[in-house]
Amino acid sequence: MSSPPASAPQDVAAIRRHNLALVARLLREQGELSRTEIAARTGLAAGAVTSLAAALIDAGMAREAGIRHVAGSAGRPRRMLAFDGSSVAVVAAHVDASTVGSLAVDLAGRELHRATVGHNAAHGDVDTVIACVAREVGDALAAAGSAGVRPAAIGIAVAGVVVTGSGEVAFAPNLGWRHVPLAEALREALGTGLPILLDNDANLTAIAELRALPADSAARHLVVVSGYVGVGSGVVVDGRLFRGSAGGAGEAGHLVVAPRGPKCWCGRRGCLEAMAAPPELARLARLAPEDPADLGAAMAELVVRAERGHKGVLRILDDLGGRLGEVAVTLVTVLGSQAVVLGGYYAALAPWVLPRVEAALEELRGIDAYRDVEARAGTRGAAAPGGGGAARGAGRGQGAPAPIFAPPPPRKGE
């Protein structure tokens, strides 16, 4: 008899990781279940479910939840299993042109650490940024450890194009980066074998906002337009993130909204990013911070002035709403989305911006396919990339096997 292919052990391990993630996700989403119910809902064999349940309990991701008697059943009472992520954590970071934000959260949703610092790096200075990210992620890992929680994965949101699964930032114009192997650099700087997952910050914002939708929401196709230092969008198709062929799907910031407008870094004129990115809004309102790391404070002051009825600010936000409305119509007609969500700093501006976006979408209602399209404000705000990074680290929001079950990557020379 021929021997199995060399890849078989890896395949078996990958299948087990997938099944562990499947059962953990089922328990998280559906609550307490018996092993018999898990087998019925997943199609897994009873023996496999017993083994997977034991592994999840050993990993601190599930717990026994008592006995349930089934009315009218002659069988034995069923032992119930419940999700319990209180002893396992994921760490996330958001890297943009001026700041690094970090977060640690356990799988039950308890926040263990949150911080944002300026990295003070010059444009194109990769080493300074990586050192800052490593320091902040290290602090988040330490905070999880001090709370008695085991860190299991790291998710990194980057303001740039990330080639899926590569661990590399292919292009981050606001940072001045090209082809930076960020995951490998962080792994070496931290001396960790934990899985490190990279993604674009707009994509991770979309994951965070998708997970934050009300339980009764029917939206499975949406686009989340986010404003940070730049402008991007995350595209969700049938409940799953769509990245495109090279990770560049959703670059709504480079849709032209004013053909004779200012030149964008991409070389075109009048891109949404050049006209309406949060730093540009702050400049127009004469709130541009001396330190780019203070953009959040400038945007908070913009909201205060809007609330006070400042005419100049209201004009700026009305223009923003018109431009976002134009982009929303383009995205909806191309993608067939059910909803357009304003994320990042745009979420806080929604009270003044959404009416113009809704008015633009209203013009599509004569077409049956777009009759029920809605616009809404995101609920996660500028913290969304960190939350999305944590969700990616835990394997939620994308349907892939959870990274927390992945084996440590081999070190150089192994």
Side-chain angles (χ1 to χ4, degrees):
M1 188 171 78
S2 62
S3 59
S7 62
Q10 284 188 337
D11 292 343
V12 170
I15 291 170
R16 182 168 176 81
R17 290 197 302 274
H18 173 87
N19 290 340
L20 283 166
L22 178 65
V23 174
R25 189 158 52 244
L26 186 70
L27 290 171
R28 183 181 181 91
E29 293 175 354
Q30 299 190 18
E32 295 181 4
L33 296 170
S34 69
R35 289 159 176 79
T36 300
E37 289 169 325
I38 292 171
R41 297 183 192 189
T42 61
L44 296 170
V49 171
T50 298
S51 173
L52 294 168
L56 289 172
I57 291 171
D58 288 344
M61 294 186 63
R63 57 180 172 79
E64 299 285 3
I67 301 294
R68 186 177 73 190
H69 295 272
V70 181
S73 173
R76 292 182 300 176
R78 295 178 178 177
R79 289 187 300 137
M80 306 303 292
L81 198 66
F83 181 83
D84 181 7
S86 60
S87 62
V88 180
V90 288
V91 165
H94 180 203
V95 186
D96 71 15
S98 57
T99 63
V100 173
S102 59
L103 170 73
V105 59
D106 70 22
L107 297 192
R110 177 174 53 127
E111 188 174 296
L112 307 171
H113 172 86
R114 182 184 293 275
T116 300
V117 300
H119 53 62
N120 300 317
H123 193 70
D125 183 352
V126 174
D127 292 342
T128 297
V129 177
I130 289 176
C132 182
V133 177
R135 185 167 57 251
E136 294 305 304
V137 169
D139 287 348
L141 291 169
S146 296
V149 181
R150 174 177 63 87
I154 300 168
I156 308 291
V158 184
V161 177
V162 176
V163 179
T164 306
S166 70
E168 178 184 277
V169 181
F171 182 43
N174 290 322
L175 285 160
W177 288 7
R178 283 187 181 274
H179 303 296
V180 174
L182 182 57
E184 179 183 347
L186 287 176
R187 193 172 289 117
E188 291 183 357
L190 291 165
T192 183
L194 294 176
I196 299 177
L197 293 97
L198 267 60
D199 212 331
N200 169 264
D201 56 0
N203 284 341
L204 293 177
T205 295
I207 287 177
E209 295 294 356
L210 177 67
R211 294 186 59 242
L213 287 175
D216 60 352
S217 174
R220 299 279 295 167
H221 302 265
L222 63 150
V223 58
V224 183
V225 181
S226 302
Y228 296 107
V229 171
V231 179
S233 62
V235 179
V236 176
V237 177
D238 197 23
R240 294 175 63 86
L241 195 64
F242 175 72
R243 292 185 172 83
S245 62
E251 283 293 337
H254 298 289
L255 291 174
V256 173
V257 294
R260 297 182 179 180
K263 196 169 184 178
C264 181
W265 62 261
C266 73
R268 306 176 79 193
R269 286 193 174 276
C271 292
L272 178 64
E273 183 164 312
M275 301 291 295
E280 176 64 8
L281 299 177
R283 187 191 69 79
L284 292 171
R286 299 182 180 178
L287 292 171
E290 291 185 10
D291 184 347
D294 293 333
L295 178 61
M299 297 308 293
E301 178 61 24
L302 192 70
V303 170
V304 169
R305 295 189 184 186
E307 290 172 337
R308 292 174 178 171
H310 189 288
K311 291 182 179 180
V313 167
L314 293 180
R315 280 195 299 272
I316 291 167
L317 297 184
D318 186 65
D319 286 345
L320 172 63
R323 300 189 196 289
L324 289 176
E326 182 179 342
V327 166
V329 167
T330 299
L331 293 172
V332 166
T333 52
V334 170
L335 300 170
S337 304
Q338 296 167 294
V340 177
V341 181
L342 302 185
Y345 289 121
Y346 288 158
L349 303 176
W352 303 276
V353 173
L354 267 183
R356 291 291 304 274
V357 179
E358 291 168 341
L361 293 175
E362 184 67 30
E363 296 178 2
L364 293 175
R365 303 219 187 274
I367 305 172
D368 286 347
Y370 311 128
R371 192 177 303 280
D372 298 321
V373 174
E374 63 173 333
R376 63 169 69 192
T379 60
R380 303 301 299 271
R392 279 284 282 128
R396 291 178 273 121
Q398 186 57 17
I404 55 176
F405 298 117
R411 296 185 183 278
K412 284 187 175 180
E414 294 184 347

